Amino acid sequence: MSELTCDERRLVDAARDFVAAHVAPHVQAWDRGLADSRSVLPAAAAVGLLGLEVPVAQGGLGLSFGCKRQVAEILAGADFGLAMSVINTHNVANHLARMAAADVSRRHVPALLAGQRTGCTALTEPGAGSDFSAITTLARKVGDEWRLDGSKAWIVNGTHADVVVVYAQTEPGSGARGIAAFVVDGSRSGFVRQARADSTAARGIDAGGFVLEGYRARADELLHPPGEAFKAALASINGARIYVAAMCCGMVHESLRVASAYGALRHTFGKPLHEHQGWRWSLADAAIDLAAARLMVDAAAALIDDGNDSQTAAAQAKVFATRMAGRHIAALMHAMGAEGLREQHPLLRHLAAVQVATLVDGSTEMLLDRVARGLRNTV
Ligand SMILES: Cc1cc2nc3c(=O)[nH]c(=O)nc-3n(C[C@H](O)[C@H](O)[C@H](O)COP(=O)(O)OP(=O)(O)OC[C@H]3O[C@@H](n4cnc5c(N)ncnc54)[C@H](O)[C@@H]3O)c2cc1C
């Protein structure tokens, strides 16, 4: 694991304080759909969470991926949906700050950093998920502008995002080669938002879709031209796989803490659960696998910070961490008996979130394929 700098350690501490003050008190209300997690964005912005990796020259903190991985774990320990929502807005700010035309970046990045606007990245469509190269949202050149038509589905922050990075096909039938990426403004005509995805999994993630109907993107809103967008998406997805794996570690850590505390209070057969050897084993198993997952996450994160190829390490970390979290959060919930099912505890919410984690940024099967392809060069 790369050593964090003093500034990075301060941000990690600030993330813990942010969770205690602004996330933990509200997660049940978000989960029931009674409150909007966006209300905490200004507080997230105030401590720098929305600008973590964004270059200092563009108003961000310019910190490392290793720091982002720590923050992701802390946020998701409280709520995976909120963690994904905050990090996806951060990612759009970082993407635009580094890659967008200066005017486009100036128009959006300061508001994203301040938590006044939210961002999302839209690849998935109703008819194309794992097979990203099969997207059919069409981008056609009309004079200096681009006309976009199509639908996107299951997008983090899709229910409210103002600044949307949209991947679209410019040459039907050309697959990855014809895909380009655009900066889309959710307030302009031709952008029609759809209802929230009707799932109770990770409500704070605000997943939803939208339709583009003759949406006009200006010439400078072409973020990646055809031929480069697919590669750009793959380049950034390794980081996403690693922070999702880190989030799974955060959810197991918190579930362990809750189960362990309950084991000290609940008595069966004349003594606390904790003092029954058979009961303790499920906690020990979770702690062992959590430690292993964190090592994999840290090793993969260090590859990113050192500028090395992280494809296989990122895929391995995400497959291991999601499986580890699914198995152990269920076991820890069981170890709490009926109490584990109560909404005041995070375990059931975390278990549903892990199911989401097995899909986003590369489903388990896609990642297994990635790892298997890597074996051809190493075994
Ligand atoms: C809450 C949530 C938030 C999301 N946020 C975003 C977002 O912000 N942006 C975005 O672009 N997308 C987002 N997604 C979409 C996510 O990336 C897709 O769900 C994922 O890519 C899988 O696509 P799919 O659901 O269409 O499944 P499909 O592609 O239909 O696959 C169905 C199942 O079959 C498996 N499968 C598919 N092909 C193969 C094969 N060749 N071999 C073996 N197994 C296979 C898959 O692994 C999966 O288990 C989100 C999804 C969810 C649930």
Side-chain angles (χ1 to χ4, degrees):
M1 173 179 164
S2 321
E3 277 293 305
L4 297 186
T5 65
C6 290
D7 284 349
E8 289 173 339
R9 284 201 300 273
R10 260 196 296 276
L11 188 74
V12 169
D13 288 342
R16 274 198 199 94
D17 294 344
F18 165 75
V19 160
H22 300 284
V23 182
H26 304 297
V27 284
Q28 280 174 258
W30 296 339
D31 201 34
R32 291 184 190 152
L34 300 176
D36 188 339
S37 59
R38 266 180 299 169
S39 61
V40 303
L41 284 182
V47 293
L49 297 180
L50 297 172
L52 195 157
E53 286 181 298
V54 177
V56 173
Q58 308 261 13
L61 299 179
L63 303 180
S64 69
F65 184 81
C67 178
K68 180 183 190 179
R69 161 259 174 279
Q70 295 290 344
V71 167
E73 176 169 341
I74 290 165
L75 297 182
D79 191 61
F80 175 81
L82 187 272
M84 286 291 279
S85 178
V86 165
I87 286 191
N88 273 269
T89 288
H90 162 277
N91 290 348
V92 173
N94 195 31
H95 197 166
L96 267 54
R98 291 169 191 271
M99 303 303 301
D103 273 359
V104 176
S105 175
R106 263 195 300 274
R107 204 158 55 237
H108 297 301
V109 172
L112 289 166
L113 292 180
Q116 292 158 352
R117 285 188 207 155
T118 58
C120 69
T121 302
L123 296 83
T124 302
E125 301 182 351
S130 308
D131 187 4
F132 166 44
S133 63
I135 59 171
T136 58
T137 293
L138 187 61
R140 272 178 298 160
K141 200 96 201 275
V142 182
D144 282 347
E145 297 188 340
W146 291 84
R147 181 191 158 115
L148 304 182
D149 291 279
S151 300
K152 295 290 178 182
W154 290 106
I155 307 301
V156 174
N157 290 343
T159 60
H160 51 69
D162 313 279
V163 189
V164 184
V165 175
V166 169
Y167 287 79
Q169 179 57 261
T170 60
E171 198 186 327
S174 69
R177 192 165 37 85
I179 293 176
F182 300 85
V183 180
V184 163
D185 184 333
S187 68
R188 296 224 297 255
S189 71
F191 183 95
V192 184
R193 212 179 289 283
Q194 294 181 318
R196 172 190 296 274
D198 57 348
S199 163
T200 51
R203 272 197 192 271
I205 209 166
D206 290 335
F210 55 87
V211 177
L212 296 164
E213 292 174 341
Y215 180 92
R216 291 299 181 102
R218 298 171 193 138
D220 67 354
E221 291 168 334
L222 175 67
L223 189 60
H224 298 289
E228 288 179 24
F230 191 82
K231 278 186 256 164
L234 292 189
S236 64
I237 211 162
N238 293 315
R241 289 169 181 170
I242 298 165
Y243 67 64
V244 170
M247 290 179 184
C248 289
C249 293
M251 291 189 279
V252 174
H253 176 91
E254 182 59 13
S255 302
L256 250 176
R257 190 191 67 72
V258 169
S260 182
Y262 184 68
L265 295 177
R266 176 76 171 178
H267 284 63
T268 65
F269 301 96
K271 53 186 180 180
L273 283 172
H274 241 305
E275 290 181 20
H276 295 288
Q277 189 186 45
W279 188 86
R280 292 197 303 261
W281 284 344
S282 59
L283 276 69
D285 275 340
I288 291 165
D289 283 352
L290 173 59
R294 280 178 168 152
L295 288 175
M296 293 178 79
V297 167
D298 287 336
L303 290 174
I304 296 231
D305 278 330
D306 294 343
N308 292 323
D309 177 10
S310 61
Q311 281 188 88
T312 299
Q316 288 176 339
K318 183 166 177 274
V319 171
F320 186 84
T322 50
R323 286 179 171 168
M324 178 283 296
R327 191 166 65 248
H328 289 304
I329 294 173
L332 292 166
M333 203 162 70
H334 178 77
M336 291 177 69
E339 179 71 17
L341 299 167
R342 286 191 196 280
E343 283 184 11
Q344 75 191 72
H345 304 304
L347 286 83
L348 198 51
R349 188 162 40 85
H350 282 349
L351 197 57
V354 170
Q355 202 56 32
V356 174
T358 65
L359 290 171
V360 292
D361 301 305
S363 69
T364 303
E365 288 72 22
M366 297 303 107
L367 301 183
L368 288 173
D369 211 42
R370 172 74 258 154
V371 173
R373 270 183 279 144
L375 291 177
R376 280 192 229 137
N377 306 326
T378 55
V379 178

